[in-house]
Amino acid sequence: MRGLLIAGHPDAGRDPLPEGWDWLILPGLTRGPEGWIPRRLGMDPAALRDLRSAALLATLDALDPDLFIADRHPFGIDGELRPVLEMLRARGCRTVLGLREVLDTPRVAAGEWEELGGADGVAKLLDAVWIYGDHRVYDPRLTGELPGPLARLAEPTGYLSAGRPAARPRRSDRPSPAPPPPYLLTVLGGGSDGAELARLALQATPPPGHRHLLITGPQMPTADLEELHEIADGHATVVRSAPDVPELIAEAAAVVCMGGYNTVAEVLDTTTPALVVPRARRRLEQPRRAAALAAAGALETQEAAGLTAADITEWWARAVTGRTVRSGIDLDGLAVVPRLAARLLDPSAAHEIAAPDVAAPDVTVPARVLPEVHSHAV
């Protein structure tokens, strides 16, 4: 099998790939005050969108994939994927939209679907929608975030957690910034907006005998990173990134983090107690995810507003005395997705493929989203 992973951030290409796979890194976009703007190229945003779309068309025309998966954004940024999907559908390629389990509030989600031209138009360009979560914890088909035409194509896969490196013994050939156990971990995802939580965590007092490791994320501004080094002053270890974050989470006595999907998915595949402080700016995806998982007993959560260093100190003291059992949550999405893909590519063999045992609700409820391109072609 051969395949291509398409991304819009250069950091993506650092991850290793199986034999026969490669990366296509597109010129980057980032959010500006008025919408998406070029990350580095000094050109008009619309011209960059057209450049990215042309690169995708040329690449996939040559690759001629059998399966294409769009991650989160069905049409990419500003519709750059729409002509790609139309070309692939005309060739018989199977097309999938992969979604995190939480999109946003139903009202915001509904508006975003309408901006895409409505759910019916999106559904016509797709064979399936895969929801990367446990429908018993959070189901966007029932909250109203996923409109009826797409909900009828949707299947939950379970969280993409089990099968990640978490809980494996750390590889001895990869240097790690972790202090000897027991240690506390604060991890901030990409880090672009995690400086305030990082300051509070560094000002908190670890339980006796515990060290503190803070991973800021590669996108934290340099000025903030330098300030955090000053606050740490040798009492904690501050690094921008680490090669083994899932293993570090698994081995930590407790973890404080934000509520992004990937960080939470890594936490769920461990027994490490977690305090999630979700970002509530711009989207409400993270608070809704944290609240649902807290209700399921998988973690604890506090709002960023009003959170103090003393709160983190108190939580650490309590959290390091035990572990968190998460065995009741479906974490097997990484095993389910290949089976769903095989079923799409060979419907005649569907009876031989163990698909997830979930009953899709009869969704005729009102529609409510979707929302840099992360796509996969095989």
PDB file of all heavy atoms in Angstrom, residues 101 131-138 155-162 261 265 268-269 293 296 298 326-337 339 355-358:
ATOM      1  N   GLU A 101     -14.769  14.391  17.923  1.00  0.00           N
ATOM      2  CA  GLU A 101     -16.090  14.090  18.466  1.00  0.00           C
ATOM      3  C   GLU A 101     -16.868  15.342  18.830  1.00  0.00           C
ATOM      4  O   GLU A 101     -18.101  15.329  18.864  1.00  0.00           O
ATOM      5  CB  GLU A 101     -15.949  13.142  19.670  1.00  0.00           C
ATOM      6  CG  GLU A 101     -15.712  13.781  21.026  1.00  0.00           C
ATOM      7  CD  GLU A 101     -14.331  14.403  21.230  1.00  0.00           C
ATOM      8  OE1 GLU A 101     -13.688  14.820  20.258  1.00  0.00           O
ATOM      9  OE2 GLU A 101     -13.900  14.486  22.407  1.00  0.00           O
ATOM     10  N   ILE A 131     -16.433   9.688  13.038  1.00  0.00           N
ATOM     11  CA  ILE A 131     -16.364  10.525  14.240  1.00  0.00           C
ATOM     12  C   ILE A 131     -15.381   9.880  15.201  1.00  0.00           C
ATOM     13  O   ILE A 131     -15.622   8.767  15.698  1.00  0.00           O
ATOM     14  CB  ILE A 131     -17.749  10.646  14.909  1.00  0.00           C
ATOM     15  CG1 ILE A 131     -18.781  11.205  13.916  1.00  0.00           C
ATOM     16  CG2 ILE A 131     -17.664  11.544  16.142  1.00  0.00           C
ATOM     17  CD1 ILE A 131     -20.210  11.126  14.425  1.00  0.00           C
ATOM     18  N   TYR A 132     -14.300  10.561  15.495  1.00  0.00           N
ATOM     19  CA  TYR A 132     -13.229   9.971  16.284  1.00  0.00           C
ATOM     20  C   TYR A 132     -13.500  10.112  17.784  1.00  0.00           C
ATOM     21  O   TYR A 132     -12.835  10.876  18.495  1.00  0.00           O
ATOM     22  CB  TYR A 132     -11.889  10.634  15.929  1.00  0.00           C
ATOM     23  CG  TYR A 132     -11.524  10.524  14.459  1.00  0.00           C
ATOM     24  CD1 TYR A 132     -11.042  11.631  13.759  1.00  0.00           C
ATOM     25  CD2 TYR A 132     -11.656   9.321  13.769  1.00  0.00           C
ATOM     26  CE1 TYR A 132     -10.691  11.534  12.416  1.00  0.00           C
ATOM     27  CE2 TYR A 132     -11.322   9.218  12.428  1.00  0.00           C
ATOM     28  CZ  TYR A 132     -10.834  10.338  11.762  1.00  0.00           C
ATOM     29  OH  TYR A 132     -10.505  10.238  10.422  1.00  0.00           O
ATOM     30  N   GLY A 133     -14.502   9.386  18.250  1.00  0.00           N
ATOM     31  CA  GLY A 133     -14.842   9.450  19.658  1.00  0.00           C
ATOM     32  C   GLY A 133     -15.779   8.327  20.048  1.00  0.00           C
ATOM     33  O   GLY A 133     -16.196   7.508  19.225  1.00  0.00           O
ATOM     34  N   ASP A 134     -16.111   8.285  21.330  1.00  0.00           N
ATOM     35  CA  ASP A 134     -17.041   7.308  21.897  1.00  0.00           C
ATOM     36  C   ASP A 134     -18.409   7.965  21.984  1.00  0.00           C
ATOM     37  O   ASP A 134     -18.602   8.938  22.720  1.00  0.00           O
ATOM     38  CB  ASP A 134     -16.556   6.891  23.285  1.00  0.00           C
ATOM     39  CG  ASP A 134     -17.420   5.818  23.932  1.00  0.00           C
ATOM     40  OD1 ASP A 134     -18.592   5.654  23.530  1.00  0.00           O
ATOM     41  OD2 ASP A 134     -16.928   5.148  24.860  1.00  0.00           O
ATOM     42  N   HIS A 135     -19.393   7.433  21.230  1.00  0.00           N
ATOM     43  CA  HIS A 135     -20.708   8.058  21.173  1.00  0.00           C
ATOM     44  C   HIS A 135     -21.423   8.050  22.517  1.00  0.00           C
ATOM     45  O   HIS A 135     -22.347   8.829  22.735  1.00  0.00           O
ATOM     46  CB  HIS A 135     -21.580   7.357  20.120  1.00  0.00           C
ATOM     47  CG  HIS A 135     -21.928   5.942  20.469  1.00  0.00           C
ATOM     48  ND1 HIS A 135     -20.999   4.933  20.501  1.00  0.00           N
ATOM     49  CD2 HIS A 135     -23.117   5.383  20.814  1.00  0.00           C
ATOM     50  CE1 HIS A 135     -21.595   3.801  20.842  1.00  0.00           C
ATOM     51  NE2 HIS A 135     -22.871   4.042  21.034  1.00  0.00           N
ATOM     52  N   ARG A 136     -20.982   7.195  23.443  1.00  0.00           N
ATOM     53  CA  ARG A 136     -21.595   7.178  24.776  1.00  0.00           C
ATOM     54  C   ARG A 136     -21.111   8.336  25.631  1.00  0.00           C
ATOM     55  O   ARG A 136     -21.771   8.722  26.605  1.00  0.00           O
ATOM     56  CB  ARG A 136     -21.295   5.854  25.469  1.00  0.00           C
ATOM     57  CG  ARG A 136     -21.839   4.635  24.737  1.00  0.00           C
ATOM     58  CD  ARG A 136     -21.218   3.369  25.268  1.00  0.00           C
ATOM     59  NE  ARG A 136     -19.765   3.385  25.106  1.00  0.00           N
ATOM     60  CZ  ARG A 136     -18.956   2.422  25.509  1.00  0.00           C
ATOM     61  NH1 ARG A 136     -19.460   1.356  26.132  1.00  0.00           N
ATOM     62  NH2 ARG A 136     -17.653   2.508  25.328  1.00  0.00           N
ATOM     63  N   VAL A 137     -19.961   8.902  25.281  1.00  0.00           N
ATOM     64  CA  VAL A 137     -19.425  10.063  25.992  1.00  0.00           C
ATOM     65  C   VAL A 137     -19.949  11.343  25.372  1.00  0.00           C
ATOM     66  O   VAL A 137     -20.382  12.268  26.085  1.00  0.00           O
ATOM     67  CB  VAL A 137     -17.878  10.046  25.963  1.00  0.00           C
ATOM     68  CG1 VAL A 137     -17.313  11.328  26.587  1.00  0.00           C
ATOM     69  CG2 VAL A 137     -17.347   8.825  26.687  1.00  0.00           C
ATOM     70  N   TYR A 138     -19.897  11.408  24.036  1.00  0.00           N
ATOM     71  CA  TYR A 138     -20.341  12.626  23.337  1.00  0.00           C
ATOM     72  C   TYR A 138     -20.683  12.228  21.910  1.00  0.00           C
ATOM     73  O   TYR A 138     -19.877  11.616  21.218  1.00  0.00           O
ATOM     74  CB  TYR A 138     -19.232  13.677  23.341  1.00  0.00           C
ATOM     75  CG  TYR A 138     -19.698  15.056  22.923  1.00  0.00           C
ATOM     76  CD1 TYR A 138     -20.008  16.012  23.889  1.00  0.00           C
ATOM     77  CD2 TYR A 138     -19.829  15.402  21.589  1.00  0.00           C
ATOM     78  CE1 TYR A 138     -20.440  17.280  23.519  1.00  0.00           C
ATOM     79  CE2 TYR A 138     -20.268  16.655  21.217  1.00  0.00           C
ATOM     80  CZ  TYR A 138     -20.567  17.593  22.181  1.00  0.00           C
ATOM     81  OH  TYR A 138     -20.999  18.848  21.827  1.00  0.00           O
ATOM     82  N   GLU A 155     -20.265   7.295  11.419  1.00  0.00           N
ATOM     83  CA  GLU A 155     -20.026   6.206  12.351  1.00  0.00           C
ATOM     84  C   GLU A 155     -18.977   6.652  13.365  1.00  0.00           C
ATOM     85  O   GLU A 155     -17.929   7.170  12.980  1.00  0.00           O
ATOM     86  CB  GLU A 155     -19.513   4.957  11.636  1.00  0.00           C
ATOM     87  CG  GLU A 155     -20.526   4.291  10.729  1.00  0.00           C
ATOM     88  CD  GLU A 155     -20.029   2.950  10.225  1.00  0.00           C
ATOM     89  OE1 GLU A 155     -19.843   2.045  11.061  1.00  0.00           O
ATOM     90  OE2 GLU A 155     -19.812   2.820   9.011  1.00  0.00           O
ATOM     91  N   PRO A 156     -19.229   6.454  14.662  1.00  0.00           N
ATOM     92  CA  PRO A 156     -18.186   6.705  15.656  1.00  0.00           C
ATOM     93  C   PRO A 156     -17.162   5.581  15.639  1.00  0.00           C
ATOM     94  O   PRO A 156     -17.514   4.407  15.479  1.00  0.00           O
ATOM     95  CB  PRO A 156     -18.951   6.751  16.978  1.00  0.00           C
ATOM     96  CG  PRO A 156     -20.205   5.987  16.725  1.00  0.00           C
ATOM     97  CD  PRO A 156     -20.510   6.070  15.264  1.00  0.00           C
ATOM     98  N   THR A 157     -15.915   5.944  15.792  1.00  0.00           N
ATOM     99  CA  THR A 157     -14.837   4.956  15.729  1.00  0.00           C
ATOM    100  C   THR A 157     -14.281   4.592  17.087  1.00  0.00           C
ATOM    101  O   THR A 157     -13.569   3.596  17.229  1.00  0.00           O
ATOM    102  CB  THR A 157     -13.669   5.499  14.890  1.00  0.00           C
ATOM    103  OG1 THR A 157     -13.072   6.615  15.576  1.00  0.00           O
ATOM    104  CG2 THR A 157     -14.139   5.945  13.516  1.00  0.00           C
ATOM    105  N   GLY A 158     -14.582   5.379  18.109  1.00  0.00           N
ATOM    106  CA  GLY A 158     -13.815   5.332  19.352  1.00  0.00           C
ATOM    107  C   GLY A 158     -12.707   6.370  19.262  1.00  0.00           C
ATOM    108  O   GLY A 158     -12.319   6.805  18.172  1.00  0.00           O
ATOM    109  N   TYR A 159     -12.222   6.797  20.427  1.00  0.00           N
ATOM    110  CA  TYR A 159     -11.122   7.769  20.437  1.00  0.00           C
ATOM    111  C   TYR A 159      -9.875   7.165  19.801  1.00  0.00           C
ATOM    112  O   TYR A 159      -9.613   5.959  19.925  1.00  0.00           O
ATOM    113  CB  TYR A 159     -10.810   8.214  21.867  1.00  0.00           C
ATOM    114  CG  TYR A 159     -11.838   9.159  22.434  1.00  0.00           C
ATOM    115  CD1 TYR A 159     -12.916   8.678  23.174  1.00  0.00           C
ATOM    116  CD2 TYR A 159     -11.745  10.527  22.217  1.00  0.00           C
ATOM    117  CE1 TYR A 159     -13.875   9.547  23.683  1.00  0.00           C
ATOM    118  CE2 TYR A 159     -12.704  11.402  22.724  1.00  0.00           C
ATOM    119  CZ  TYR A 159     -13.759  10.908  23.452  1.00  0.00           C
ATOM    120  OH  TYR A 159     -14.709  11.771  23.948  1.00  0.00           O
ATOM    121  N   LEU A 160      -9.099   7.995  19.116  1.00  0.00           N
ATOM    122  CA  LEU A 160      -7.851   7.541  18.492  1.00  0.00           C
ATOM    123  C   LEU A 160      -6.762   7.519  19.561  1.00  0.00           C
ATOM    124  O   LEU A 160      -5.814   8.307  19.541  1.00  0.00           O
ATOM    125  CB  LEU A 160      -7.469   8.472  17.335  1.00  0.00           C
ATOM    126  CG  LEU A 160      -8.544   8.683  16.260  1.00  0.00           C
ATOM    127  CD1 LEU A 160      -8.019   9.597  15.155  1.00  0.00           C
ATOM    128  CD2 LEU A 160      -9.017   7.353  15.670  1.00  0.00           C
ATOM    129  N   SER A 161      -6.878   6.608  20.496  1.00  0.00           N
ATOM    130  CA  SER A 161      -6.015   6.585  21.677  1.00  0.00           C
ATOM    131  C   SER A 161      -5.172   5.322  21.766  1.00  0.00           C
ATOM    132  O   SER A 161      -3.943   5.384  21.728  1.00  0.00           O
ATOM    133  CB  SER A 161      -6.864   6.712  22.951  1.00  0.00           C
ATOM    134  OG  SER A 161      -7.516   7.955  23.013  1.00  0.00           O
ATOM    135  N   ALA A 162      -5.799   4.167  21.903  1.00  0.00           N
ATOM    136  CA  ALA A 162      -5.066   2.913  22.039  1.00  0.00           C
ATOM    137  C   ALA A 162      -4.249   2.665  20.777  1.00  0.00           C
ATOM    138  O   ALA A 162      -4.742   2.797  19.670  1.00  0.00           O
ATOM    139  CB  ALA A 162      -6.032   1.759  22.278  1.00  0.00           C
ATOM    140  N   TYR A 261      -7.802  17.831  21.155  1.00  0.00           N
ATOM    141  CA  TYR A 261      -8.119  16.426  20.932  1.00  0.00           C
ATOM    142  C   TYR A 261      -6.916  15.523  21.113  1.00  0.00           C
ATOM    143  O   TYR A 261      -7.005  14.488  21.792  1.00  0.00           O
ATOM    144  CB  TYR A 261      -8.713  16.225  19.531  1.00  0.00           C
ATOM    145  CG  TYR A 261      -9.110  14.784  19.287  1.00  0.00           C
ATOM    146  CD1 TYR A 261     -10.384  14.344  19.623  1.00  0.00           C
ATOM    147  CD2 TYR A 261      -8.200  13.855  18.784  1.00  0.00           C
ATOM    148  CE1 TYR A 261     -10.751  13.014  19.438  1.00  0.00           C
ATOM    149  CE2 TYR A 261      -8.559  12.525  18.596  1.00  0.00           C
ATOM    150  CZ  TYR A 261      -9.826  12.109  18.928  1.00  0.00           C
ATOM    151  OH  TYR A 261     -10.177  10.790  18.761  1.00  0.00           O
ATOM    152  N   ALA A 265      -6.556  12.611  23.838  1.00  0.00           N
ATOM    153  CA  ALA A 265      -6.504  11.224  23.385  1.00  0.00           C
ATOM    154  C   ALA A 265      -5.293  10.506  23.957  1.00  0.00           C
ATOM    155  O   ALA A 265      -5.367   9.318  24.321  1.00  0.00           O
ATOM    156  CB  ALA A 265      -6.479  11.170  21.859  1.00  0.00           C
ATOM    157  N   LEU A 268      -6.046   9.725  27.640  1.00  0.00           N
ATOM    158  CA  LEU A 268      -7.048   8.687  27.857  1.00  0.00           C
ATOM    159  C   LEU A 268      -6.460   7.282  27.816  1.00  0.00           C
ATOM    160  O   LEU A 268      -7.013   6.363  28.429  1.00  0.00           O
ATOM    161  CB  LEU A 268      -8.163   8.807  26.815  1.00  0.00           C
ATOM    162  CG  LEU A 268      -9.087  10.029  26.940  1.00  0.00           C
ATOM    163  CD1 LEU A 268     -10.094  10.050  25.803  1.00  0.00           C
ATOM    164  CD2 LEU A 268      -9.799  10.051  28.291  1.00  0.00           C
ATOM    165  N   ASP A 269      -5.351   7.099  27.112  1.00  0.00           N
ATOM    166  CA  ASP A 269      -4.757   5.764  27.002  1.00  0.00           C
ATOM    167  C   ASP A 269      -3.796   5.473  28.141  1.00  0.00           C
ATOM    168  O   ASP A 269      -2.973   4.579  28.052  1.00  0.00           O
ATOM    169  CB  ASP A 269      -4.031   5.617  25.657  1.00  0.00           C
ATOM    170  CG  ASP A 269      -3.752   4.148  25.328  1.00  0.00           C
ATOM    171  OD1 ASP A 269      -4.589   3.304  25.700  1.00  0.00           O
ATOM    172  OD2 ASP A 269      -2.717   3.860  24.703  1.00  0.00           O
ATOM    173  N   LEU A 293     -16.035  14.389  29.184  1.00  0.00           N
ATOM    174  CA  LEU A 293     -15.139  13.371  29.726  1.00  0.00           C
ATOM    175  C   LEU A 293     -15.082  13.424  31.249  1.00  0.00           C
ATOM    176  O   LEU A 293     -14.912  12.391  31.900  1.00  0.00           O
ATOM    177  CB  LEU A 293     -13.749  13.525  29.116  1.00  0.00           C
ATOM    178  CG  LEU A 293     -13.663  13.051  27.660  1.00  0.00           C
ATOM    179  CD1 LEU A 293     -12.394  13.576  26.996  1.00  0.00           C
ATOM    180  CD2 LEU A 293     -13.708  11.523  27.589  1.00  0.00           C
ATOM    181  N   ALA A 296     -17.915  11.534  32.479  1.00  0.00           N
ATOM    182  CA  ALA A 296     -17.681  10.090  32.351  1.00  0.00           C
ATOM    183  C   ALA A 296     -16.643   9.589  33.338  1.00  0.00           C
ATOM    184  O   ALA A 296     -16.325   8.386  33.346  1.00  0.00           O
ATOM    185  CB  ALA A 296     -17.235   9.764  30.924  1.00  0.00           C
ATOM    186  N   ALA A 298     -13.425  10.395  33.443  1.00  0.00           N
ATOM    187  CA  ALA A 298     -12.118  10.152  32.833  1.00  0.00           C
ATOM    188  C   ALA A 298     -11.073  11.186  33.217  1.00  0.00           C
ATOM    189  O   ALA A 298      -9.872  10.945  33.046  1.00  0.00           O
ATOM    190  CB  ALA A 298     -12.251  10.131  31.306  1.00  0.00           C
ATOM    191  N   ARG A 326      -9.752   4.259  33.081  1.00  0.00           N
ATOM    192  CA  ARG A 326     -10.539   4.750  31.940  1.00  0.00           C
ATOM    193  C   ARG A 326     -10.983   3.593  31.036  1.00  0.00           C
ATOM    194  O   ARG A 326     -11.264   3.796  29.856  1.00  0.00           O
ATOM    195  CB  ARG A 326      -9.721   5.766  31.145  1.00  0.00           C
ATOM    196  CG  ARG A 326      -9.248   6.950  32.010  1.00  0.00           C
ATOM    197  CD  ARG A 326      -8.445   7.955  31.227  1.00  0.00           C
ATOM    198  NE  ARG A 326      -8.174   9.145  32.020  1.00  0.00           N
ATOM    199  CZ  ARG A 326      -6.995   9.450  32.562  1.00  0.00           C
ATOM    200  NH1 ARG A 326      -5.950   8.646  32.375  1.00  0.00           N
ATOM    201  NH2 ARG A 326      -6.845  10.550  33.273  1.00  0.00           N
ATOM    202  N   SER A 327     -11.040   2.399  31.564  1.00  0.00           N
ATOM    203  CA  SER A 327     -11.327   1.216  30.758  1.00  0.00           C
ATOM    204  C   SER A 327     -12.747   1.203  30.213  1.00  0.00           C
ATOM    205  O   SER A 327     -13.056   0.453  29.284  1.00  0.00           O
ATOM    206  CB  SER A 327     -11.087  -0.054  31.584  1.00  0.00           C
ATOM    207  OG  SER A 327     -11.863  -0.027  32.771  1.00  0.00           O
ATOM    208  N   GLY A 328     -13.642   2.014  30.744  1.00  0.00           N
ATOM    209  CA  GLY A 328     -15.016   2.028  30.260  1.00  0.00           C
ATOM    210  C   GLY A 328     -15.238   2.879  29.030  1.00  0.00           C
ATOM    211  O   GLY A 328     -16.355   2.951  28.512  1.00  0.00           O
ATOM    212  N   ILE A 329     -14.190   3.543  28.538  1.00  0.00           N
ATOM    213  CA  ILE A 329     -14.320   4.412  27.367  1.00  0.00           C
ATOM    214  C   ILE A 329     -13.723   3.715  26.151  1.00  0.00           C
ATOM    215  O   ILE A 329     -12.678   3.061  26.245  1.00  0.00           O
ATOM    216  CB  ILE A 329     -13.614   5.762  27.628  1.00  0.00           C
ATOM    217  CG1 ILE A 329     -14.313   6.482  28.791  1.00  0.00           C
ATOM    218  CG2 ILE A 329     -13.623   6.638  26.384  1.00  0.00           C
ATOM    219  CD1 ILE A 329     -13.666   7.776  29.189  1.00  0.00           C
ATOM    220  N   ASP A 330     -14.386   3.835  25.007  1.00  0.00           N
ATOM    221  CA  ASP A 330     -13.905   3.212  23.779  1.00  0.00           C
ATOM    222  C   ASP A 330     -12.725   4.005  23.236  1.00  0.00           C
ATOM    223  O   ASP A 330     -12.876   5.140  22.783  1.00  0.00           O
ATOM    224  CB  ASP A 330     -15.028   3.174  22.740  1.00  0.00           C
ATOM    225  CG  ASP A 330     -14.633   2.429  21.464  1.00  0.00           C
ATOM    226  OD1 ASP A 330     -13.448   2.035  21.345  1.00  0.00           O
ATOM    227  OD2 ASP A 330     -15.500   2.254  20.594  1.00  0.00           O
ATOM    228  N   LEU A 331     -11.544   3.404  23.284  1.00  0.00           N
ATOM    229  CA  LEU A 331     -10.304   4.056  22.875  1.00  0.00           C
ATOM    230  C   LEU A 331      -9.680   3.389  21.654  1.00  0.00           C
ATOM    231  O   LEU A 331      -8.526   3.639  21.327  1.00  0.00           O
ATOM    232  CB  LEU A 331      -9.288   4.022  24.033  1.00  0.00           C
ATOM    233  CG  LEU A 331      -9.779   4.580  25.375  1.00  0.00           C
ATOM    234  CD1 LEU A 331      -8.699   4.397  26.439  1.00  0.00           C
ATOM    235  CD2 LEU A 331     -10.162   6.045  25.247  1.00  0.00           C
ATOM    236  N   ASP A 332     -10.422   2.554  20.939  1.00  0.00           N
ATOM    237  CA  ASP A 332      -9.861   1.693  19.907  1.00  0.00           C
ATOM    238  C   ASP A 332     -10.015   2.220  18.488  1.00  0.00           C
ATOM    239  O   ASP A 332      -9.998   1.452  17.521  1.00  0.00           O
ATOM    240  CB  ASP A 332     -10.500   0.298  20.000  1.00  0.00           C
ATOM    241  CG  ASP A 332     -10.049  -0.446  21.237  1.00  0.00           C
ATOM    242  OD1 ASP A 332      -8.904  -0.225  21.668  1.00  0.00           O
ATOM    243  OD2 ASP A 332     -10.846  -1.236  21.772  1.00  0.00           O
ATOM    244  N   GLY A 333     -10.172   3.526  18.331  1.00  0.00           N
ATOM    245  CA  GLY A 333     -10.389   4.080  17.003  1.00  0.00           C
ATOM    246  C   GLY A 333      -9.293   3.783  16.002  1.00  0.00           C
ATOM    247  O   GLY A 333      -9.570   3.598  14.805  1.00  0.00           O
ATOM    248  N   LEU A 334      -8.051   3.703  16.447  1.00  0.00           N
ATOM    249  CA  LEU A 334      -6.954   3.430  15.523  1.00  0.00           C
ATOM    250  C   LEU A 334      -7.034   2.022  14.940  1.00  0.00           C
ATOM    251  O   LEU A 334      -6.497   1.762  13.865  1.00  0.00           O
ATOM    252  CB  LEU A 334      -5.609   3.635  16.221  1.00  0.00           C
ATOM    253  CG  LEU A 334      -5.241   5.098  16.513  1.00  0.00           C
ATOM    254  CD1 LEU A 334      -3.985   5.166  17.373  1.00  0.00           C
ATOM    255  CD2 LEU A 334      -5.045   5.879  15.220  1.00  0.00           C
ATOM    256  N   ALA A 335      -7.699   1.120  15.625  1.00  0.00           N
ATOM    257  CA  ALA A 335      -7.915  -0.225  15.084  1.00  0.00           C
ATOM    258  C   ALA A 335      -9.175  -0.281  14.225  1.00  0.00           C
ATOM    259  O   ALA A 335      -9.256  -1.052  13.278  1.00  0.00           O
ATOM    260  CB  ALA A 335      -8.012  -1.241  16.220  1.00  0.00           C
ATOM    261  N   VAL A 336     -10.169   0.530  14.546  1.00  0.00           N
ATOM    262  CA  VAL A 336     -11.440   0.505  13.819  1.00  0.00           C
ATOM    263  C   VAL A 336     -11.327   1.180  12.450  1.00  0.00           C
ATOM    264  O   VAL A 336     -11.886   0.699  11.463  1.00  0.00           O
ATOM    265  CB  VAL A 336     -12.542   1.178  14.665  1.00  0.00           C
ATOM    266  CG1 VAL A 336     -13.807   1.420  13.850  1.00  0.00           C
ATOM    267  CG2 VAL A 336     -12.854   0.317  15.893  1.00  0.00           C
ATOM    268  N   VAL A 337     -10.590   2.294  12.377  1.00  0.00           N
ATOM    269  CA  VAL A 337     -10.506   3.049  11.121  1.00  0.00           C
ATOM    270  C   VAL A 337     -10.025   2.199   9.949  1.00  0.00           C
ATOM    271  O   VAL A 337     -10.623   2.257   8.857  1.00  0.00           O
ATOM    272  CB  VAL A 337      -9.630   4.306  11.310  1.00  0.00           C
ATOM    273  CG1 VAL A 337      -9.174   4.873   9.978  1.00  0.00           C
ATOM    274  CG2 VAL A 337     -10.406   5.365  12.090  1.00  0.00           C
ATOM    275  N   ARG A 339     -10.494  -0.916   9.424  1.00  0.00           N
ATOM    276  CA  ARG A 339     -11.579  -1.810   9.049  1.00  0.00           C
ATOM    277  C   ARG A 339     -12.676  -1.062   8.299  1.00  0.00           C
ATOM    278  O   ARG A 339     -13.250  -1.576   7.334  1.00  0.00           O
ATOM    279  CB  ARG A 339     -12.136  -2.505  10.286  1.00  0.00           C
ATOM    280  CG  ARG A 339     -11.104  -3.345  11.031  1.00  0.00           C
ATOM    281  CD  ARG A 339     -11.764  -4.381  11.910  1.00  0.00           C
ATOM    282  NE  ARG A 339     -12.519  -3.826  13.010  1.00  0.00           N
ATOM    283  CZ  ARG A 339     -12.014  -3.581  14.212  1.00  0.00           C
ATOM    284  NH1 ARG A 339     -10.735  -3.825  14.460  1.00  0.00           N
ATOM    285  NH2 ARG A 339     -12.779  -3.098  15.174  1.00  0.00           N
ATOM    286  N   ALA A 355     -16.800  -4.376  11.867  1.00  0.00           N
ATOM    287  CA  ALA A 355     -16.999  -2.942  12.039  1.00  0.00           C
ATOM    288  C   ALA A 355     -17.433  -2.661  13.467  1.00  0.00           C
ATOM    289  O   ALA A 355     -17.828  -3.566  14.201  1.00  0.00           O
ATOM    290  CB  ALA A 355     -18.068  -2.447  11.050  1.00  0.00           C
ATOM    291  N   PRO A 356     -17.359  -1.410  13.911  1.00  0.00           N
ATOM    292  CA  PRO A 356     -17.726  -1.096  15.290  1.00  0.00           C
ATOM    293  C   PRO A 356     -19.176  -1.432  15.578  1.00  0.00           C
ATOM    294  O   PRO A 356     -20.048  -1.215  14.731  1.00  0.00           O
ATOM    295  CB  PRO A 356     -17.468   0.419  15.385  1.00  0.00           C
ATOM    296  CG  PRO A 356     -17.473   0.909  13.979  1.00  0.00           C
ATOM    297  CD  PRO A 356     -16.960  -0.228  13.160  1.00  0.00           C
ATOM    298  N   ASP A 357     -19.427  -1.960  16.744  1.00  0.00           N
ATOM    299  CA  ASP A 357     -20.770  -2.389  17.121  1.00  0.00           C
ATOM    300  C   ASP A 357     -21.514  -1.221  17.741  1.00  0.00           C
ATOM    301  O   ASP A 357     -21.641  -1.112  18.959  1.00  0.00           O
ATOM    302  CB  ASP A 357     -20.668  -3.550  18.107  1.00  0.00           C
ATOM    303  CG  ASP A 357     -22.038  -4.102  18.470  1.00  0.00           C
ATOM    304  OD1 ASP A 357     -22.991  -3.833  17.725  1.00  0.00           O
ATOM    305  OD2 ASP A 357     -22.136  -4.782  19.502  1.00  0.00           O
ATOM    306  N   VAL A 358     -21.994  -0.328  16.898  1.00  0.00           N
ATOM    307  CA  VAL A 358     -22.748   0.829  17.376  1.00  0.00           C
ATOM    308  C   VAL A 358     -23.982   0.985  16.518  1.00  0.00           C
ATOM    309  O   VAL A 358     -23.971   0.698  15.321  1.00  0.00           O
ATOM    310  CB  VAL A 358     -21.914   2.129  17.331  1.00  0.00           C
ATOM    311  CG1 VAL A 358     -20.754   2.044  18.290  1.00  0.00           C
ATOM    312  CG2 VAL A 358     -21.411   2.431  15.925  1.00  0.00           C
TER     313      VAL A 358
END
